[in-house]
Amino acid sequence: MMQNVEIAEASVGEPEALPHATLFDSFSIEITGKDTAALQGASHLLAPATSVSIASIPGESHDARVAAAVTARRLGFQPVPHISARRILSTAELDALLARFIREADVHSLFVVAGDPDVPMGPYGDSLALIRSGLLSKYGIRKIGIAGYPEGHPKINSPMLFDVLREKHDLLTAAGLEYDITTQFSFDAEPVIGWIERIRKLGITAPIRIGVPGPASVKTLLRFATICGVGASAKVMTKYGLSIGKLLNTAGPDVFVSELIRRLAPAALGTVRLHFYPFGGVGKTAEWIRDFPSNQR
């Protein structure tokens, strides 16, 4: 059953603006297995115990992701490996992978997602199937990350996305598991804030991490937007500060994050943090995070 939680109507006026320090508190960053050296090089720029998500991408082995988790833990961060349901070949493979993450990297949190294969490669068709398997609880996983899609999903209609989110909420709450929601990245604060308002009205009070694209070339940002189905109209690009005619220019999320700070209402919208996708490199994103406060003065 859904929790019976009263959520105030969202107010986006200036008096309720979310302080910079609150939005950046306990931010997270995402890497792949090949980014371990970059993470080590940027480690002095990131706060101790920062959550480091380790994505599951095509062509990257379990060994690479376990090694990335080990590196993140050694550097003093909290590794959060992704488990892509449709990429798991068998229950035995999932069991062995979870055991390695726990044994080798002392993992306490996981992010579960269906994954991009159209047809499951094994017994798990989506993240709900992973949660229902019972293996996560078996290994003492205390916190689960799930995905949110403020601008929709290229393969799933919007009403179904909300239905699935509510089902995950019910399942995780009944199992006594802590969870948070990390969104796809965006260039436009408007749909993100509207989505958060709707989530809260559903009675879902879990912390939300808003996906933020780290500094990268305009060409790179547009490429990832196309892959992920993120809105990238000329109007949105202009609002974000991107110029389609200057594809090699580097663009950062200053405008996007500043608007989130200005418009998010903490009393109405609950715990909201940032999750960084370092499309232009871990180092560049870490430097942006460090420099953003002084750049706003």
Side-chain angles (χ1 to χ4, degrees):
M1 295 292 292
M2 292 290 293
Q3 293 177 331
N4 184 19
V5 181
E6 292 292 335
I7 302 294
E9 287 296 323
S11 170
V12 293
E14 291 287 352
E16 296 292 334
L18 191 67
H20 161 269
T22 302
L23 190 61
F24 275 74
D25 182 43
S26 301
F27 67 83
S28 53
I29 191 167
E30 190 160 311
I31 67 169
T32 66
K34 63 181 176 57
D35 293 323
T36 52
L39 179 66
Q40 182 158 339
S43 60
H44 65 289
L45 298 170
L46 300 172
T50 293
S51 291
V52 176
S53 288
I54 302 160
S56 175
I57 62 174
E60 193 161 84
S61 67
H62 292 329
D63 287 343
R65 290 191 298 119
V66 171
V70 170
T71 297
R73 176 63 69 191
R74 177 175 56 80
L75 292 171
F77 303 131
Q78 298 291 334
V80 184
H82 290 205
I83 304 293
S84 177
R86 294 175 186 170
R87 293 189 178 281
I88 298 296
L89 301 179
S90 66
T91 297
E93 180 185 52
L94 176 60
D95 190 87
L97 179 60
L98 292 173
R100 288 191 64 189
F101 279 134
I102 302 300
R103 182 178 66 251
E104 298 179 37
D106 191 25
V107 165
H108 308 301
S109 304
L110 292 171
F111 185 87
V112 294
V113 65
D116 52 0
D118 291 329
V119 178
M121 300 167 66
Y124 305 106
D126 53 31
S127 55
L128 276 168
L130 286 177
I131 296 168
R132 291 192 183 104
S133 73
L135 284 176
L136 307 184
S137 297
K138 170 187 172 182
Y139 281 98
I141 297 298
R142 299 193 291 268
K143 185 175 181 180
I144 303 295
I146 59 176
Y149 301 94
E151 297 185 72
H153 189 286
K155 297 180 181 179
I156 307 173
N157 65 56
S158 184
M160 184 177 293
L161 286 172
F162 282 101
D163 289 343
V164 170
L165 192 56
R166 290 184 61 159
E167 190 172 358
K168 291 176 183 177
H169 166 88
D170 290 349
L171 186 60
L172 290 164
T173 301
L177 290 171
E178 182 183 357
Y179 79 98
D180 61 17
I181 306 167
T182 299
T183 75
Q184 67 190 152
F185 74 93
S186 181
F187 298 128
D188 190 358
E190 194 74 37
V192 173
I193 294 171
W195 180 85
I196 295 174
E197 291 172 349
R198 182 170 178 182
I199 291 299
R200 296 316 191 202
K201 288 175 182 176
L202 289 174
I204 297 176
T205 60
I208 292 173
R209 295 184 178 274
I210 300 174
V212 177
S217 71
V218 176
K219 183 178 181 180
T220 296
L221 293 172
L222 292 178
R223 177 166 61 85
F224 278 103
T226 299
I227 294 171
C228 300
V230 171
S233 67
K235 180 180 178 181
V236 169
M237 294 297 93
T238 300
K239 184 177 181 181
Y240 190 78
L242 301 182
S243 172
I244 305 299
K246 298 179 180 178
L247 295 180
L248 298 183
N249 281 15
T250 296
D254 299 68
V255 174
F256 176 57
V257 172
S258 294
E259 187 172 0
L260 291 174
I261 292 171
R262 181 176 64 83
R263 297 193 58 198
L264 281 170
L269 299 181
T271 301
V272 181
R273 301 289 184 256
L274 299 181
H275 177 77
F276 290 92
Y277 296 93
F279 297 135
V282 175
K284 284 184 178 179
T285 296
E287 289 172 354
W288 184 92
I289 295 168
R290 178 198 62 191
D291 296 341
F292 177 78
S294 59
N295 290 341
Q296 300 307 297
R297 295 189 185 119

